[in-house]
Amino acid sequence: ERYERAAATARESGRGLWACADAEGTAGPVATGDGALVLVTVHADADGNDHENRNDEYVTLRNAGGGPLDLSGWTVSDAGGHTYTFPEGTTLSPGAELTLRSGSGTDTESTVYWDADGAVWNNDGDTVTVRDAAGSVVLRHAY
C-alpha cells in the first residue's frame, strides 16, 4: 500500500519518471537546468503537398524558464525515427521561441531548418520527442 501511495503521489505531482508527462501522457513544461522547455505548436499539415511545402511543416518550442537554455546537441525526433540535432551554439533565451521547420533555409535565432528529404510529421498523428545532449528525454508529446 505504501508503494502504491508513493507511486500515485509521484504521478500526481509530476516527479521522477512522471516529469515528462501530464495526466494524459502528453508533454508539459519540463525543468532542464535553469530553463523549462515547452512545446508550443505542432504544425504537421502543411498547405498543399507536405512533401513539396516542407517549410510549412514545423514544431515550435519555448523556453519558459528563467535562464538561457543551451540546446547544443539536443535532438528532436518523430515516432518513425527521423531525427534532427540542434547545432553547437543553439541557445534559447528565457521566454524565446524557436521554430524547427522540416524544409530548407538559413538558420536564424528564431528558426532552424531540418533540411529533411520529405515530410517528417504525420498528419494523422505522431510523437514529438526532445532529448538532451546526453540522450535523456526532456519532452514528449503525442498528437
Side-chain angles (χ1 to χ4, degrees):
E1 288 179 348
R2 192 168 33 173
Y3 173 79
E4 290 174 1
R5 281 194 311 270
T9 301
R11 182 175 49 251
E12 290 167 8
S13 62
R15 290 193 321 258
L17 65 97
W18 300 104
C20 293
D22 64 16
E24 298 172 12
T26 58
V30 178
T32 54
D34 291 333
L37 192 67
V38 177
L39 180 66
V40 177
T41 305
V42 177
H43 191 260
D45 191 8
D47 286 341
N49 184 319
D50 290 3
H51 295 285
E52 294 173 3
N53 190 13
R54 292 185 311 278
N55 281 345
D56 192 36
E57 183 185 77
Y58 57 87
V59 296
T60 302
L61 304 167
R62 177 187 309 125
N63 179 357
L69 189 56
D70 183 2
L71 299 177
S72 301
W74 288 34
T75 61
V76 176
S77 60
D78 71 344
H82 302 99
T83 302
Y84 171 83
T85 303
F86 288 103
E88 193 66 32
T90 304
T91 303
L92 195 55
S93 298
E97 292 186 356
L98 181 64
T99 299
L100 171 59
R101 297 187 182 275
S102 298
S104 301
T106 302
D107 291 352
T108 67
E109 279 190 28
S110 61
T111 304
V112 292
Y113 295 88
W114 192 309
D115 199 23
D117 293 335
V120 175
W121 306 110
N122 296 327
N123 295 347
D124 60 350
D126 208 335
T127 301
V128 179
T129 302
V130 179
R131 296 179 185 274
D132 64 18
S136 298
V137 173
V138 173
L139 186 149
R140 180 172 284 137
H141 175 76
Y143 65 91

